[in-house]
Amino acid sequence: MNTAVASNIKTHNVGLGAEQGESELTFSPDNRSGGFVSNQMQASAGHTIETITIRTMDQMVRSAGLSSVDFVKMDVEGFEVSVIRGAPETLRRFRPTFVMEMNHWCLNAFQRMSVPDFLDVMRAAFPVLYAVQGNTYADLHNPDYSYIVMYRHILQGQYATLVGTFDAARLSMFSSLYSHGID
């Protein structure tokens, strides 16, 4: 319904992951937007569970015949690593910029992954990786900034937005609007 008015958006009723198959999506009956892939954790009472089809981003890009992928906005409640692992061809070929959520609770509870492990995967995938808080950003390839971001994210809920790309020049507009450093 949200995209019905946009002629340049085509929706697909699938999830993205590391490999093709089926999984379960768990969500509150009152709010589907917080749904999560429950491949590592069973839902508590009162949640709704649906079987969903999982495809890789590489499969979706190939089947859609896309000639470019410039930007990906990803908010998948802790399933980010699985999505990235299903996109090596897309990342290599198109070098898109990703904006994603880092959510300590979802990573920990739903995927049994720590924030340091999550950031290791994202740093390996993206030569440029920033964490954003307010009007500042921190370079997550810098160990000092990375430590502060992890600390503030886990204990204070800050730095939930990450920006990953392959060329800092692609973020020139971003860099002109935000200050580098820790807020």
Side-chain angles (χ1 to χ4, degrees), residues 13-161:
N13 192 19
V14 298
L16 296 181
E19 55 191 37
Q20 184 171 329
E22 286 189 343
S23 194
E24 292 181 338
L25 182 70
T26 301
F27 56 92
S28 167
D30 302 355
N31 182 6
R32 290 179 66 97
S33 68
F36 62 93
V37 175
S38 44
N39 63 328
Q40 299 289 321
M41 167 153 197
Q42 295 302 312
S44 62
H47 282 80
T48 301
I49 300 172
E50 279 182 12
T51 299
I52 60 169
T53 299
I54 300 285
R55 296 188 65 201
T56 69
M57 183 178 291
D58 287 347
Q59 290 170 328
M60 292 298 293
V61 167
R62 277 193 306 274
S63 69
L66 298 179
S67 60
S68 69
V69 177
D70 298 319
F71 181 82
V72 176
K73 196 277 190 192
M74 179 168 56
D75 184 356
V76 293
E77 306 302 327
F79 209 58
E80 292 82 4
V81 169
S82 187
V83 173
I84 292 295
R85 288 185 175 147
E89 180 184 317
T90 301
L91 295 173
R92 185 179 60 257
R93 183 173 173 208
F94 299 115
R95 302 167 55 92
T97 296
F98 274 67
V99 173
M100 68 194 96
E101 177 188 36
M102 176 170 61
N103 183 318
H104 173 250
W105 162 249
C106 291
L107 287 166
N108 228 336
F110 304 152
Q111 293 302 312
R112 301 177 189 270
M113 177 171 270
S114 71
V115 169
D117 290 340
F118 172 76
L119 291 178
D120 286 346
V121 172
M122 293 306 153
R123 278 190 291 264
F126 298 103
V128 178
L129 185 64
Y130 297 149
V132 180
Q133 177 64 37
N135 62 354
T136 64
Y137 67 95
D139 179 355
L140 291 172
H141 284 281
N142 177 312
D144 294 331
Y145 285 140
S146 184
Y147 175 82
I148 294 168
V149 165
M150 286 188 291
Y151 177 87
R152 289 194 180 173
H153 179 72
I154 293 167
L155 295 178
Q156 300 167 351
Q158 296 180 351
Y159 293 100
T161 302

